[in-house]
Amino acid sequence: MEDKVRVVIAEDSVLLREGLTRLLTDRGLDVVAGVGDGDALIKTITELNDQGELPDVVVADVRMPPTHTDEGVRAAVQLRKTHPGVGVLVLSQYVEERYATELLAGSSRGIGYLLKDRVAEVREFVDAVVRVAEGGTALDPEVVAQLLGRSRKQDVLAGLTPREREVLGLMAEGRTNSAIARQLVVSDGAVEKHVSNIFLKLGLSPSNGDHRRVLAVLTYLNS
């Protein structure tokens, strides 16, 4: 019980909030709170922090009351600053580049941005929640494709081959080298070579440690 991933859900649709709660609970996660707007999310996290019971991850809708514009992502960005140890996975109906870039502009730890349609892919969605809770990343393939596509004209990308771009896109989705190899039907060694080339071309030295994978993606998004 103590090892369960603790989740707070912020979603103004009661039906979807309850559905997410049931989905995650049925798969062994512990949904400790559910709220309907950004202010309530901040208040809940503050209260849980005061009790020494911070969640591992927050799953939040980008658009919430009162204006249904950017309340959710604003709350998420604020939480990233005040509680950097809490993972944040935001859900959006559409790819919204500005919000995705804003969320990804800070720390590289524990970040996710998925389209709501991905919730229907239950196993992958739950895996994404757990991955973000553990400090990893989970970026929707469509978000990655759109953001990287926008950046292709930037000089920083000029040195990458089409295959290296493809590998980087899969890295941004949070996939391991082995998972990338299976997706591309190549050997693990081939993927490792592509990843090393990406790091080299982006100027990410071994001193950057394990965060080089995320830093590589952020280099694109911020270019």
Side-chain angles (χ1 to χ4, degrees):
M1 292 292 291
E2 293 180 354
D3 293 331
K4 281 188 176 182
V5 172
R6 291 165 50 80
V7 186
V8 169
I9 297 175
E11 166 60 57
D12 62 295
S13 167
V14 176
L15 183 61
L16 180 54
R17 186 166 71 241
E18 292 301 321
L20 289 172
T21 299
R22 178 65 180 273
L23 184 156
L24 295 174
T25 300
D26 285 350
R27 282 153 185 81
L29 284 71
D30 184 12
V31 178
V32 297
V35 299
D37 61 70
D39 289 342
L41 174 58
I42 297 298
K43 180 180 179 181
T44 296
I45 296 301
T46 299
E47 291 174 349
L48 289 172
N49 180 61
D50 291 343
Q51 298 165 13
E53 298 181 355
L54 275 175
D56 300 301
V57 60
V58 168
V59 178
D61 190 357
V62 166
R63 298 174 181 266
M64 289 194 290
T67 67
H68 293 278
T69 54
D70 61 355
E71 284 83 1
V73 76
R74 292 293 181 192
V77 170
Q78 181 177 337
L79 288 177
R80 296 289 296 166
K81 295 177 180 178
T82 58
H83 303 289
V86 177
V88 173
L89 173 61
V90 299
L91 302 177
S92 179
Q93 193 68 41
Y94 311 102
V95 178
E96 302 183 75
E97 292 184 22
R98 179 168 65 88
Y99 298 153
T101 304
E102 183 175 5
L103 185 68
L104 293 165
S107 170
S108 61
R109 177 179 172 78
I111 280 290
Y113 188 112
L114 297 179
L115 296 183
K116 286 187 175 181
D117 289 347
R118 302 297 174 189
V119 176
E121 301 170 8
V122 175
R123 183 173 181 177
E124 292 188 13
F125 173 67
V126 175
D127 286 347
V129 173
V130 173
R131 188 161 63 245
V132 172
E134 294 176 345
T137 58
L139 300 183
D140 194 284
E142 291 188 30
V143 174
V144 173
Q146 187 160 322
L147 292 175
L148 294 186
R150 180 195 64 186
S151 302
R152 280 191 176 121
K153 295 181 180 179
Q154 301 296 328
D155 290 342
V156 71
L157 306 181
L160 291 185
T161 66
R163 176 61 92 180
E164 288 165 354
R165 294 177 189 272
E166 191 173 9
V167 169
L168 180 56
L170 294 171
M171 286 168 56
E173 293 173 29
R175 304 195 189 207
T176 64
N177 284 2
S178 295
I180 293 172
R182 290 194 297 272
Q183 177 72 19
L184 300 180
V185 194
V186 297
S187 69
D188 287 2
V191 172
E192 290 175 5
K193 183 176 180 180
H194 287 311
V195 172
S196 294
N197 286 339
I198 290 170
F199 292 157
L200 179 63
K201 292 176 180 179
L202 295 182
L204 298 173
S205 68
S207 63
N208 293 119
D210 294 336
H211 289 304
R212 285 194 297 173
R213 296 180 76 88
V214 176
L215 290 174
V217 176
L218 293 180
T219 298
Y220 279 85
L221 302 183
N222 293 324
S223 64

